[in-house]
Amino acid sequence: MTAYDYDLFVIGGGSGGVRAGRVAASLGKRVAIAEEYRFGGTCVIRGCVPKKLFVYASQYAEHFEDAAGYGWDVGESTFDWKKLIAAKDKEIARLEGLYRRGLENNGAEILETRAELVDAHTVRLTKTGKTVTAEKIVIATGGWPNPHAALPGHEFCISSNEAFDLPELPRSILIAGGGYIAVEFANIFHGLGVDTTLIYRGKEILSRFDHDLRQGLHRAMVEKGIRIVLTDVIEEVTRAAAGGLVAKTLNGETIAVDTVMLALGRDPNTRGLGLEAAGVAVNERGAIVVDEYSRTSVPNIYALGDVTDRVQLTPVAIHEAMCFIETEYRNNPTAPDHQLIPTAVFSQPEIGTVGLSEEEAARRYPELEIYRAEFRPMKATLSGRAEKMIMKLVVDAASRKVVGAHVLGHDAGEMAQLLGISLKAGVTKDDFDRTMAVHPTAAEELVTMYNPSYRVRNGERV
């Protein structure tokens, strides 16, 4: 029997890799985990966590305005970008420490170096050139913002990575993209007082979401003062003589701003990992190809999280890690479940969604019942804010099963988590109808929509 240095070697210290390494070590396995930057990965260091902190920061201007309607005189307020950055950095350092301690306390060896595959069982540590061997290897190197290298002037632009550490808050910004990262940052920067423009090649933002929520969020963003340019793309970015940047678009527009941010998707972080040397197959996008158990084309090598380009969400990477543990170390083969994943977009207002959009459901079911409500939330009655909430249930008419639930409005992400449990359990519209409302709340609308707003038969509204 071959003797290996480790039972498990993990490449990548993000949420998926750390979970796999920590739990394997807690089971008595000899584990090493290599990370070339900081532990915590995209989510903790330059993704979900700092993004949500920035969302909170950007909401206070509206909170101060709303307070007046409730009798509060807040007075003059100011914002200090550098204080926000410092507070964010402190919190990230705390969280990174928790990740490290979790590994160390369970006996995993932390290696602060880039690691590359030499063959199916051998890894080279680039900092020292040393090679080590492992019985099993997990690749969890995540994703990286697409730099859009074909764009002339892309080197003058930033990605979401740099947005968290800008030395100064720009006065104006142009954000390219229509996905959740672009939309969230457009709202963040606008809320912090930045003149914000969003440009997207599609006909509407957030292409994979239900059309009612897409359109509702678009209207809300425009009403706030965010400019949204659709069916257009940036063709060139140049430096302006007086400072700042100038972006020229396909439709002939010239947009002068302090900063241009590219939010044009993320690519699997696989370059230079030695995958070919080890025999690990990748697809045309560079994502590692895996089977239903996250096993690569090499039986002892697994891949988890964004590097596989299945579902790019932190909880999914963690779930895949736990399925790996069950399969390899607990004699309980478990395939990750990627169905009915609750999702939130931390735009302003938020989107929370689970299941099928109306458009997707119409392609699968002969007849649908659509329950839809649009209303002004109670908080807005005294604040005077015009923002609306949208709630929508998509129901298979034959079985009465709720196949999609969608919310636009405050705390929509929180609602989506609970809706996710319900839909996962196979809830029907009758179950919603039998549930008592919590009053006064916005969420009560989900259980008081008794009559369909309309039906969709063979893809057509009737």
Side-chain angles (χ1 to χ4, degrees):
M1 182 176 178
T2 304
Y4 297 105
D5 297 317
Y6 301 100
D7 299 315
L8 175 65
F9 194 100
V10 180
I11 302 176
S15 296
V18 167
R19 178 62 64 91
R22 178 174 62 78
V23 178
S26 74
L27 297 175
K29 304 302 179 182
R30 297 170 301 149
V31 176
I33 180 167
E35 170 56 52
E36 64 179 314
Y37 180 51
R38 297 178 68 181
F39 282 84
T42 295
C43 180
V44 172
I45 306 301
R46 49 185 174 264
C48 335
V49 171
K51 180 269 302 289
K52 190 70 181 289
L53 295 174
F54 278 26
V55 168
Y56 287 139
S58 66
Q59 291 173 335
Y60 278 98
E62 287 190 357
H63 293 337
F64 296 149
E65 291 175 359
D66 291 349
Y70 287 86
W72 287 91
D73 183 2
V74 176
E76 184 179 356
S77 61
T78 60
F79 171 69
D80 190 322
W81 172 253
K82 287 184 169 59
K83 284 185 178 179
L84 174 61
I85 298 297
K88 177 266 298 181
D89 288 344
K90 183 178 179 180
E91 175 60 9
I92 287 176
R94 184 187 71 84
L95 294 173
E96 183 184 11
L98 293 177
Y99 271 65
R100 285 175 170 272
R101 285 194 293 279
L103 289 164
E104 292 167 346
N105 291 344
N106 284 284
E109 182 179 352
I110 292 176
L111 303 171
E112 297 185 39
T113 176
R114 179 178 176 83
E116 299 172 356
L117 296 172
V118 176
D119 58 39
H121 289 281
T122 308
V123 178
R124 179 173 55 249
L125 310 178
T126 61
K127 183 179 285 186
T128 62
K130 178 183 176 181
T131 59
V132 296
T133 59
E135 181 182 7
K136 294 179 175 64
I137 296 171
V138 163
I139 303 171
T141 49
W144 199 256
N146 185 331
H148 204 45
L151 172 68
H154 72 275
E155 66 273 16
F156 302 134
C157 305
I158 66 168
S159 71
S160 57
N161 287 356
E162 295 78 33
F164 292 115
D165 296 290
L166 293 174
E168 302 288 343
L169 184 66
R171 291 165 299 177
S172 56
I173 190 168
L174 172 63
I175 300 176
Y180 73 94
I181 294 175
V183 167
E184 288 173 340
F185 272 101
N187 282 275
I188 287 169
F189 280 112
H190 171 76
L192 296 177
V194 179
D195 183 1
T196 302
T197 301
L198 182 72
I199 184 170
Y200 178 49
R201 65 183 179 181
K203 294 181 179 179
E204 186 56 278
I205 58 174
L206 297 175
S207 61
R208 298 179 184 178
F209 289 78
D210 186 272
H211 68 89
D212 278 335
L213 274 67
R214 298 168 67 193
Q215 293 172 353
L217 177 60
H218 183 148
R219 287 193 299 270
M221 290 172 64
V222 170
E223 287 170 3
K224 288 173 185 288
I226 299 171
R227 183 178 178 226
I228 298 179
V229 179
L230 298 175
T231 64
D232 202 358
V233 295
I234 301 173
E235 283 208 316
E236 181 185 26
V237 178
T238 57
R239 287 199 181 279
L245 301 172
V246 175
K248 295 181 180 178
T249 79
L250 178 64
N251 292 341
E253 187 171 352
T254 298
I255 304 173
V257 289
D258 287 342
T259 302
V260 175
M261 176 177 167
L262 303 181
L264 300 167
R266 295 175 62 83
D267 298 330
N269 192 16
T270 55
R271 293 185 64 182
L273 282 180
L275 300 179
E276 185 176 350
V280 176
V282 299
N283 66 15
E284 66 281 356
R285 293 196 67 243
I288 296 176
V289 178
V290 294
D291 67 10
E292 60 179 328
Y293 296 103
S294 300
R295 188 182 292 111
T296 72
S297 54
V298 180
N300 68 291
I301 300 179
Y302 285 72
L304 311 172
D306 292 4
V307 76
T308 68
D309 201 26
R310 288 178 286 184
V311 180
Q312 296 183 7
L313 293 170
T314 297
V316 173
I318 293 171
H319 170 65
E320 290 169 359
M322 293 309 298
C323 290
F324 161 76
I325 293 292
E326 291 293 324
T327 300
E328 285 298 320
Y329 295 130
R330 287 179 172 153
N331 195 31
N332 178 32
T334 304
D337 181 358
H338 295 121
Q339 300 301 310
L340 287 172
I341 298 172
T343 304
V345 180
F346 293 105
S347 49
Q348 298 173 45
E350 287 180 14
I351 286 177
T353 182
V354 60
L356 302 177
S357 67
E358 179 184 325
E359 297 80 8
E360 291 172 317
R363 291 191 288 269
R364 297 194 193 187
Y365 298 96
E367 185 172 350
L368 301 173
E369 293 178 348
I370 306 298
Y371 297 80
R372 184 188 186 281
E374 183 170 350
F375 57 95
R376 193 180 186 191
M378 187 176 183
K379 183 181 178 182
T381 58
L382 296 189
S383 70
R385 195 165 295 281
E387 203 166 277
K388 297 288 185 69
M389 292 193 76
I390 297 175
M391 305 225 172
K392 186 173 182 180
L393 297 177
V394 181
V395 179
D396 170 29
S399 67
R400 299 282 289 163
K401 186 175 181 179
V402 180
V403 297
H406 312 283
V407 180
L408 172 72
H410 294 291
D411 298 322
E414 305 289 343
M415 294 185 214
Q417 180 66 84
L418 300 179
L419 287 166
I421 299 170
S422 301
L423 267 65
K424 200 72 171 175
V427 68
T428 66
K429 182 60 173 64
D430 298 327
D431 295 322
F432 273 75
D433 293 343
R434 285 196 299 268
T435 302
M436 196 69 70
V438 178
H439 183 74
T441 66
E444 68 180 295
E445 200 72 28
L446 292 165
V447 298
T448 57
M449 295 186 289
Y450 298 115
N451 298 311
S453 303
Y454 55 90
R455 294 174 181 268
V456 178
R457 189 173 295 132
N458 298 321
E460 298 292 332
R461 290 191 181 187
V462 294

